[in-house]
Amino acid sequence: MHVEVYQAKADFFRTLGHPARIRVLELLQEGPLPVRDLLAQIDIEASSLSQQLAVLRRAGIVSAIREGSTVVYTLATPELSQLLDTARRILTDMLADQGELLAELRAEVT
């Protein structure tokens, strides 16, 4: 692979590297949502949400459709939902392993 491919992959994951963006994507897994619904479910200022949505939109991770005065967002591809599910499983396994290590360390003390 060329350096450009690695750079594109790094840029993609860097785009995902914000808690508000991850939350938006998780909410959009359930289907398209208007901005007002996203705002109601994320503890963030409207201007900050707008900025995060713009980052996701520029990266091609979400799509926006205007319905009258409402903007509705959706995941650009269903594979993003699979990626989020996979990340959740990986983190769950990692945290479970850490919990087991913590239990072992606590057992050593007693």
Side-chain angles (χ1 to χ4, degrees):
M1 277 197 284
H2 298 303
V3 173
E4 296 86 19
V5 173
Y6 293 121
Q7 186 62 51
K9 289 179 181 182
D11 291 344
F12 173 76
F13 282 106
R14 196 174 4 265
T15 300
L16 298 179
H18 191 285
R21 291 182 213 144
I22 295 295
R23 183 66 179 129
V24 165
L25 296 176
E26 287 179 344
L27 290 169
L28 293 178
Q29 279 184 284
E30 299 171 18
L33 288 172
V35 173
R36 69 177 173 275
D37 290 358
L38 291 169
L39 192 56
Q41 296 186 55
I42 301 174
D43 188 25
I44 189 173
E45 295 292 324
S47 60
S48 294
L49 177 60
S50 178
Q51 289 174 342
Q52 301 309 326
L53 289 168
V55 169
L56 292 170
R57 197 173 53 247
R58 278 193 305 271
I61 294 172
V62 299
S63 300
I65 299 168
R66 182 167 293 279
E67 296 178 356
S69 63
T70 302
V71 179
V72 177
Y73 282 87
T74 186
L75 294 178
T77 176
E79 285 81 6
L80 288 163
S81 184
Q82 295 169 354
L83 176 66
L84 292 168
D85 290 342
T86 299
R88 187 176 299 112
R89 284 192 303 275
I90 291 168
L91 285 171
T92 299
D93 292 345
M94 290 170 63
L95 292 173
D97 290 345
Q98 290 177 4
E100 291 170 14
L101 177 60
L102 180 59
E104 288 178 27
L105 289 171
R106 286 183 175 152
E108 288 179 4
V109 174
T110 58

